[in-house]
Amino acid sequence: EVEEAGGDGEEKVDDDGEEDEDDEDEDDEEEEEEEPRLKYQRLGNSVPEILKREAASSVRVHEKFVALGTHEGWIYILDFNGNEIRRFGAHTAIVNDLSFDRLGEFIASCSDDGTVVINGLYSAECESFTYQRPVKALALDPKFSRKGNRQFVSGGLSQQLLLNEKGWFSNKDKVVHSGEGAIYAVAWAESLMAWANDAGVKIFDNAANKRITYIDRPEGSARADLFRPHLVWETPSLLLIGWADYVKIAQVKERPAREGVGAQKYVEILAFFHTDFYIAGLAPLDGGLLVLLAYVVDAEGGNKAAERPELRILTRSNEEVSSDALSMHGFERLAAKDYRLAHLHQHSVLYIVSPRDIVVARARDLDDHLSWLIARRMYAQAVAEAEEKA
């Protein structure tokens, strides 16, 4: 199932989580084998030891490092090989969400203990903010480290989305929205904030201090608290939404000023489709594709063990490009909300996290492609493609 990959702190993981069989059916041999899109490795070094004593609950990736939050309230800063760089004993309960500023100088975390904590990654700075109810989601202003007002937004079981900023003498909270149920996810890009509550997803323009739109949850959707919503800003104006068994893609646009009326932002839904699985994570992929972490449920129900999670690549019209089943540690006992998916879009790298495991998925490169051809004795094609790329 897993083989050692040398001293880089990672282990190779089969795409389907199972060993190759020599006695495949003849029919299978006759079928044209499709080359995989991604390669997988299990993150090693400090990670196995951390996840022996604690369970992962949240993850966030920056160009400089990986942040891992745990059920025990700790935050670990790791390099891309899984080596621990720093740790923070930030909370007394589960870490629900993490957020970096754009420059990677600060990390914010929130927890069921009702606190938001912001730690400096290159300094001893640490600020803690206490709220009355569990905080489920937060986001730092992308320009947090370069702006004097140092804003962050958070929400949770208090049913309020709060914008906190630094004043002359102390920090203050402003209620951006309230009264529509708990807030489960928050995402911030440039001046735009998006959040998800029981009613659906809303987008707010912080620069204009104005709500832009409300995107409803489809009729008949699963209970909002059972499946974690996923909000990802692919660009500063393009929002990916994955929640339970549906995907929406929302584009923020602007109508030009006219007849004494200033420019007005609005939202256009570019795509909407249902899936045949529950969404445990969502990210953009090169080529205009989407990658979804799929939690597959047996239609017959029952108390059988959970299936392996699958990483599925889809077009934006819901056509499947590829699907890989992942052998995550302890998957048989996990629910959709136990998984996390984080991504570095510019490098096409994905981090799939379960309570006891981290698997890294990367786009396959030319060397991987040539190795795949050679393993199938397609020597002439391998030589031709290598010479073409030389």
Side-chain angles (χ1 to χ4, degrees), residues 24-284:
E24 294 179 352
D25 294 336
E26 291 183 5
D27 291 341
D28 292 337
E29 292 177 349
E30 292 174 1
E31 293 179 4
E32 183 177 349
E33 186 177 358
E34 185 175 342
E35 184 176 358
R37 292 291 189 105
L38 302 171
K39 57 183 177 181
Y40 299 88
Q41 292 181 306
R42 180 164 281 121
L43 203 55
N45 287 321
S46 302
V47 171
E49 187 61 34
I50 291 170
L51 297 184
K52 279 181 183 178
R53 62 178 185 264
E54 300 179 53
S57 61
S58 54
V59 65
R60 192 69 63 177
V61 185
H62 188 271
E63 289 184 352
K64 299 176 182 177
F65 25 57
V66 179
L68 183 69
T70 72
H71 281 259
E72 290 71 20
W74 284 82
I75 299 162
Y76 294 89
I77 307 299
L78 312 168
D79 68 18
F80 292 120
N81 290 324
N83 296 296
E84 181 182 328
I85 301 171
R86 292 189 68 176
R87 69 173 75 177
F88 303 100
H91 302 280
T92 59
I94 182 173
V95 178
N96 290 317
D97 201 6
L98 298 163
S99 178
F100 287 111
D101 70 309
R102 181 177 295 155
L103 296 177
E105 295 184 7
F106 290 88
I107 185 166
S109 56
C110 64
S111 170
D112 274 1
D113 65 8
T115 63
V116 169
V117 178
I118 302 174
N119 280 288
L121 294 172
Y122 297 97
S123 69
E125 284 188 69
C126 178
E127 289 188 281
S128 182
F129 305 86
T130 301
Y131 299 95
Q132 299 300 314
R133 303 291 303 280
V135 184
K136 296 295 186 181
L138 88 165
L140 284 178
D141 179 349
K143 299 177 182 178
F144 181 88
S145 61
R146 292 296 180 264
K147 291 173 69 174
N149 60 357
R150 291 197 167 185
Q151 294 180 318
F152 69 87
V153 65
S154 65
L157 299 191
S158 68
Q159 303 189 22
Q160 292 182 320
L161 185 76
L162 298 175
L163 178 64
N164 182 285
E165 67 177 17
K166 188 175 183 179
W168 285 105
F169 302 106
S170 63
N171 286 65
K172 57 182 179 181
D173 287 311
K174 179 179 78 173
V175 178
V176 176
H177 187 77
S178 65
E180 289 186 342
I183 292 166
Y184 305 102
V186 178
W188 191 335
E190 300 299 343
S191 68
L192 299 180
M193 305 172 188
W195 69 94
N197 59 23
D198 286 343
V201 175
K202 293 176 174 61
I203 300 177
F204 180 83
D205 186 348
N206 191 40
N209 193 30
K210 183 178 181 181
R211 197 176 83 183
I212 298 173
T213 194
Y214 154 67
I215 303 169
D216 66 339
R217 297 176 66 235
E219 186 176 346
S221 294
R223 273 175 46 195
D225 59 328
L226 294 181
F227 297 95
R228 177 183 173 86
H230 307 278
L231 306 177
V232 177
W233 287 105
E234 181 176 4
T235 71
S237 63
L238 188 64
L239 179 66
L240 309 180
I241 304 168
W243 199 347
D245 62 349
Y246 79 86
V247 171
K248 286 187 178 183
I249 301 176
Q251 177 78 60
V252 179
K253 298 185 174 183
E254 187 170 271
R255 294 186 181 93
R258 58 185 175 82
E259 298 178 2
V261 179
Q264 299 287 325
K265 288 187 172 71
Y266 68 99
V267 168
E268 179 181 331
I269 302 299
L270 302 183
F272 169 47
F273 58 83
H274 283 276
T275 61
D276 59 358
F277 53 85
Y278 290 115
I279 300 167
L282 169 71

Side-chain angles (χ1 to χ4, degrees), residues 277-293:
F277 53 85
Y278 290 115
I279 300 167
L282 169 71
L285 204 60
D286 288 344
L289 299 172
L290 298 174
V291 58
L292 285 86
L293 183 57

Side-chain angles (χ1 to χ4, degrees), residues 253-383:
K253 298 185 174 183
E254 187 170 271
R255 294 186 181 93
R258 58 185 175 82
E259 298 178 2
V261 179
Q264 299 287 325
K265 288 187 172 71
Y266 68 99
V267 168
E268 179 181 331
I269 302 299
L270 302 183
F272 169 47
F273 58 83
H274 283 276
T275 61
D276 59 358
F277 53 85
Y278 290 115
I279 300 167
L282 169 71
L285 204 60
D286 288 344
L289 299 172
L290 298 174
V291 58
L292 285 86
L293 183 57
Y295 185 83
V296 181
V297 177
D298 186 351
E300 297 179 0
N303 296 320
K304 61 180 293 186
E307 302 288 341
R308 288 181 172 86
E310 298 178 10
L311 206 60
R312 298 195 185 185
I313 299 177
L314 306 177
T315 68
R316 303 198 178 202
S317 56
N318 198 24
E319 296 176 0
E320 186 172 297
V321 175
S322 70
S323 176
D324 297 328
L326 307 177
S327 188
M328 308 290 289
H329 292 323
F331 70 87
E332 302 91 342
R333 301 180 297 278
L334 300 179
K337 63 183 179 180
D338 294 319
Y339 292 100
R340 298 290 184 269
L341 177 67
H343 73 289
L344 272 177
H345 184 37
Q346 60 270 44
H347 300 295
S348 297
V349 180
L350 303 157
Y351 288 77
I352 305 102
V353 177
S354 69
R356 299 294 178 187
D357 211 358
I358 301 178
V359 169
V360 185
R362 292 183 174 89
R364 292 167 60 86
D365 57 23
L366 178 61
D367 288 344
D368 298 313
H369 174 61
L370 296 178
S371 297
W372 186 85
L373 293 175
I374 292 169
R376 283 147 189 82
R377 298 184 175 87
M378 301 167 71
Y379 303 119
Q381 184 178 344
V383 170

